[in-house]
Amino acid sequence: SQYYTIRDARITSFIIEYTLPKVVSFPVINTGWNLLSLPVKPSNSSYTVVYPNSEGGQPFRFYANSYQNQEFLEVGYGYFVRYGKVIDTKIAGTRISNINASINPVLLTQGWNTIGSLSTVVNVSDINFDPSGTQIPTTKPTSVWGYKTDRGYVESSEIQPGLGYWIKVDDKGYLKLKAAGIKFNQNEVNVEKQNIVNSSDKLSIVDNGQHQSELYFAPSNSNVSQFELPPTPPTEMFDVRFGNNAKAENSNATTVKFQGVQYPVEVSIQNPTSNYT
């Protein structure tokens, strides 16, 4: 069960490096679509080895403004993977402690990208970038989104091993993540966004398949652009959003867009502060 790396030294000698694979448990994987990533670096990165019980063909990631299928998986990228009733629980490989331009390079393009994880938890405030040539993202993402099978896109404050996430960047560059080795404050919140949520009327959507989501009717002077959602997932995946492609809206008339729901759908507003039609 050991792996060997042999380096030629002009035939006279060679070095053998012994690396015992680390077996880790996957995060919670559900029946249906999941947004996942490699929690370790496997010796064989074929999706049939990493996700042997997955269904529906090759996983796909979002890159350069389009969804792309990929047979061989790469560290640092997020992939949509579909499962039936049989779920994978473990994977063997070497630990991932760094992602940067030199180690496990993950090239980001301007706009939305699906990214992956390290072998340890990373605070989203620790996301950084390395330049690609003369280009580099100059603004850290204000929101990082995961995907839950029964809820759709969910904002996250941390990057968990084995899960995939969406981030939006303003320029091309390389993702930079490093295992901190210290415990961070999990209670960090964006105060402005939380104030908007607290002052909003909450629109609850529950469908017949027990998918659920919550949208926010925000005050008219609110900056709802920071609630922008990633691109709509492929057709059959559950997704609920306002017509402005965000989780919050502050106009008097708007559209709510459903995708991948199972009818009938229940729509409700608890203790509204306004009248709705």
Side-chain angles (χ1 to χ4, degrees):
S1 63
Q2 294 177 322
Y3 298 97
Y4 307 92
T5 299
I6 300 177
R7 295 195 179 98
D8 182 11
R10 298 195 178 185
I11 312 301
T12 58
S13 64
F14 58 88
I15 299 173
I16 300 177
E17 295 179 353
Y18 299 87
T19 305
L20 290 175
K22 179 177 177 60
V23 178
V24 301
S25 296
F26 276 118
V28 176
I29 296 177
N30 298 303
T31 297
W33 287 100
N34 300 262
L35 184 54
L36 305 175
S37 67
L38 295 174
V40 292
K41 193 170 185 177
S43 59
N44 186 335
S45 63
S46 170
Y47 81 95
T48 59
V49 175
V50 177
Y51 306 121
N53 290 304
S54 63
E55 299 180 351
Q58 297 179 1
F60 51 89
R61 64 185 174 102
F62 191 86
Y63 180 77
N65 295 315
S66 66
Y67 286 104
Q68 302 177 11
N69 291 94
Q70 196 156 337
E71 178 181 359
F72 294 95
L73 309 179
E74 299 177 63
V75 169
Y77 290 101
Y79 299 93
F80 278 109
V81 184
R82 184 179 181 179
Y83 274 90
K85 293 182 179 180
V86 181
I87 304 298
D88 293 314
T89 59
K90 293 183 178 180
I91 179 176
T94 55
R95 291 182 62 85
I96 307 166
S97 58
N98 284 279
I99 291 175
N100 54 49
S102 302
I103 304 172
N104 302 314
V106 175
L107 182 62
L108 306 174
T109 59
Q110 185 179 22
W112 287 99
N113 298 259
T114 49
I115 66 168
S117 65
L118 300 180
S119 298
T120 56
V121 178
V122 178
N123 193 332
V124 299
S125 64
D126 292 330
I127 294 176
N128 282 298
F129 309 102
D130 280 336
S132 172
T134 59
Q135 297 174 290
I136 186 172
T138 57
T139 304
K140 286 192 175 186
T142 56
S143 299
V144 175
W145 299 89
Y147 183 87
K148 292 190 176 181
T149 308
D150 61 345
R151 296 181 61 194
Y153 289 130
V154 178
E155 192 168 1
S156 180
S157 62
E158 58 187 29
I159 298 175
Q160 291 279 353
L163 293 180
Y165 298 88
W166 286 88
I167 65 170
K168 188 177 184 180
V169 294
D170 58 5
D171 208 339
K172 182 179 179 181
Y174 285 96
L175 178 66
K176 187 175 183 180
L177 297 177
K178 183 178 180 180
I182 58 173
K183 186 173 182 179
F184 56 84
N185 180 12
Q186 298 187 17
N187 297 318
E188 290 183 13
V189 295
N190 182 316
V191 175
E192 181 186 2
K193 290 183 73 172
Q194 192 58 50
N195 287 339
I196 293 174
V197 169
N198 293 341
S199 60
S200 297
D201 284 351
K202 297 173 181 60
L203 178 69
S204 176
I205 297 103
V206 180
D207 78 350
N208 198 45
Q210 298 306 304
H211 301 101
Q212 59 182 335
S213 187
E214 198 170 66
L215 303 177
Y216 308 111
F217 288 110
S220 58
N221 60 348
S222 301
N223 176 20
V224 296
S225 63
Q226 56 191 321
F227 291 86
E228 179 187 4
L229 288 168
T232 305
T235 307
E236 66 181 85
M237 296 186 197
F238 176 74
D239 183 78
V240 174
R241 63 183 63 205
F242 282 120
N244 64 350
N245 287 321
K247 206 171 180 67
E249 176 63 281
N250 59 3
S251 67
N252 289 330
T254 187
T255 301
V256 178
K257 300 163 69 175
F258 294 168
Q259 176 183 284
V261 300
Q262 298 180 30
Y263 291 96
V265 175
E266 178 183 293
V267 179
S268 61
I269 303 176
Q270 298 296 322
N271 303 316
T273 59
S274 300
N275 295 323
Y276 293 92
T277 301

